[in-house]
Amino acid sequence: KASFHRSTVAYLSGTEYPSEPVKILAFDVRKKLWSVELIHDRFKQQQILVPEESLNLAYCLLPHNSRSVLVRGAGFAEQLTRSGRGLISVGSYKLGECIFEEKPFVVSAADEKSSWRGRSRWHAYILTGRAATENADAHYAMESFESLKPGTPPADRMEEVRIEAEMLSERGGGERRAEMAKAIQDILCIWQSNQFSFDNGSGIQASALFKHACLLNHSCSPTVKLACNINHGAPGTEDAES
């Protein structure tokens, strides 16, 4: 049922490796199981087969998507006003007409009850930052993320973010911990304020960030909407651009 990009990171449940992070490799059509690689060094890149219901999405990095957008019709331009950055159409569009198509540059778990939602988003940010020093796509994805604003999430969501940041900063210790907690909180707020729901067909709650579409999030009177279109191929086939 689900569509996972290769190298998507997930956490296992209901197996002999509970809560272990794995990297998704492929779908075994004959056995109807997912081939995954255990990430921790102690497993020495061990690969196992697991049922789909044992996979709990953590994150998926797609930095190459931050450089591609398919514009329809006249297109759009970024606009900076007193209210912040946004998009403005440079031409006329009919009701229901597509303005542009875009793919996410990162996807993450979004379940509010998930114990690894905040951890997944923080790890995705850290890994993208590390890759950005050597990879042009990752560098551009990092710029796209850091150009987004944290906004002001509702009080209940802000409290969730604060708690997640505190838990993730526990290893810092002393004054370093408070500094790290603030940095993590800022990153998680960017996620919280700019994310869009993303359906991969599994029923797992996920959200995604887009370079341009995230600018649509901040209008008080929106005139456009985002539609998520998942291209489901035949089971076991790989489509790097889906």
Side-chain angles (χ1 to χ4, degrees):
K1 296 180 180 179
S3 295
F4 290 112
H5 286 81
R6 179 182 289 271
S7 296
T8 292
V9 174
Y11 288 95
L12 294 178
S13 62
T15 71
E16 60 180 301
Y17 305 99
S19 300
E20 284 293 339
V22 296
K23 180 170 61 178
I24 294 177
L25 302 177
F27 183 71
D28 188 315
V29 179
R30 185 173 61 83
K31 296 183 180 180
K32 292 181 170 48
L33 297 171
W34 284 92
S35 173
V36 302
E37 179 183 301
L38 291 157
I39 291 177
H40 198 283
D41 291 342
R42 71 179 183 277
F43 295 111
K44 300 179 180 179
Q45 299 181 315
Q46 179 183 347
Q47 296 181 15
I48 59 175
L49 292 172
V50 298
E52 188 170 296
E53 56 268 22
S54 295
L55 294 173
N56 301 279
L57 174 68
Y59 61 86
C60 178
L61 302 178
L62 303 163
H64 55 284
N65 285 345
S66 64
R67 300 174 69 92
S68 62
V69 58
L70 179 59
V71 179
R72 304 289 190 182
F76 61 89
E78 286 194 22
Q79 184 182 52
L80 183 62
T81 68
R82 288 180 298 177
S83 300
R85 293 168 61 229
L87 299 182
I88 183 172
S89 171
V90 296
S92 300
Y93 286 89
K94 297 179 180 178
L95 183 64
E97 190 175 358
C98 178
I99 300 176
F100 67 92
E101 297 178 27
E102 186 176 26
K103 297 165 185 172
F105 62 85
V106 60
V107 178
S108 163
D111 188 347
E112 296 179 3
K113 298 180 180 179
S114 171
S115 61
W116 49 74
R117 180 186 62 178
R119 178 174 51 177
S120 298
R121 294 175 176 181
W122 176 242
H123 285 178
Y125 174 79
I126 292 298
L127 290 176
T128 302
R130 290 175 181 171
T133 60
E134 300 179 353
N135 181 279
D137 286 337
H139 177 77
Y140 198 71
M142 198 67 176
E143 284 188 343
S144 298
F145 181 87
E146 294 186 335
S147 71
L148 300 173
K149 303 301 181 184
T152 307
D156 57 336
R157 296 295 176 86
M158 192 65 192
E159 180 63 12
E160 291 176 7
V161 168
R162 187 193 66 77
I163 293 173
E164 287 177 327
E166 285 288 341
M167 293 176 62
L168 289 167
S169 65
E170 286 181 352
R171 296 181 181 180
E175 295 181 4
R176 177 87 172 91
R177 177 180 176 181
E179 179 184 337
M180 183 179 295
K182 179 60 169 64
I184 296 173
Q185 181 173 307
D186 289 345
I187 297 305
L188 298 185
C189 277
I190 289 177
W191 260 101
Q192 192 69 53
S193 298
N194 294 277
Q195 64 184 340
F196 281 102
S197 296
F198 191 80
D199 178 17
N200 72 345
S202 68
I204 300 172
Q205 292 185 45
S207 66
L209 296 181
F210 303 78
K211 175 174 174 55
H212 299 291
C214 283
L215 298 181
L216 304 177
N217 246 356
H218 303 284
S219 173
C220 296
S221 302
T223 56
V224 296
K225 67 177 181 179
L226 183 76
C228 184
N229 182 22
I230 303 297
N231 179 23
H232 293 287
T237 59
E238 181 175 352
D239 182 358
E241 296 302 318
S242 62

